[in-house]
Amino acid sequence: QVQPVESGGGFVQAGGSLRLSCAASGRTFSSYAIGWFRQAPGKEREFVAAISWSGGSTYYADSVKGRFTISRDNAKNTVYLQMNSLKPEDTAVYYCAAGSVFYYSDSAEFDYWGQGTQVTVSS
């Protein structure tokens, strides 16, 4: 079992960058896929990016492809989401989740969720 904890959110102007971190306790962290999801006010939670347990495979939503990069350091039990060229529509609470998944974009396949970190992008 793991407990993800997000950090790195904040306020940034359009075109800026932020790096989110997902740190997780538990010795089994490296055996889980990690996903990032986000939820804007009044909208459903949506998939952003995911990475396999080994880091060998990564997946992105079309809306962030080419701007966001997901990576992991299993020695540090941490996954990163580098967000560049941020847009106002990226404003949301970003959640990190862990699980043994097959469909990486399906939030229902992730078992362990963090509390989220707010990202606000001004125009």
Side-chain angles (χ1 to χ4, degrees):
Q1 186 170 354
V2 297
Q3 179 57 57
V5 178
E6 305 94 338
S7 63
F11 184 93
V12 64
Q13 290 188 329
S17 298
L18 283 174
R19 188 178 78 159
L20 305 184
S21 297
C22 174
S25 60
R27 295 180 297 172
T28 59
F29 173 83
S30 61
S31 66
Y32 288 108
I34 301 295
W36 284 97
F37 295 80
R38 66 187 182 187
Q39 188 167 19
K43 295 188 177 181
E44 293 187 352
R45 188 173 297 184
E46 65 174 359
F47 169 74
V48 176
I51 189 166
S52 63
W53 67 271
S54 67
S57 297
T58 57
Y59 308 86
Y60 298 94
D62 288 343
S63 60
V64 307
K65 202 170 294 183
R67 299 188 298 122
F68 291 10
T69 302
I70 190 171
S71 62
R72 70 188 298 160
D73 184 342
N74 285 340
K76 296 182 178 179
N77 278 10
T78 303
V79 169
Y80 305 98
L81 184 68
Q82 178 66 44
M83 306 187 297
N84 299 329
S85 302
L86 283 162
K87 305 175 181 180
E89 50 263 45
D90 294 319
T91 295
V93 177
Y94 283 70
Y95 297 90
C96 169
S100 300
V101 306
F102 185 75
Y103 295 107
Y104 285 82
S105 62
D106 186 350
S107 61
E109 294 217 2
F110 290 83
D111 299 308
Y112 308 104
W113 290 81
Q115 294 299 307
T117 185
Q118 176 71 47
V119 171
T120 303
V121 184
S122 67
S123 57

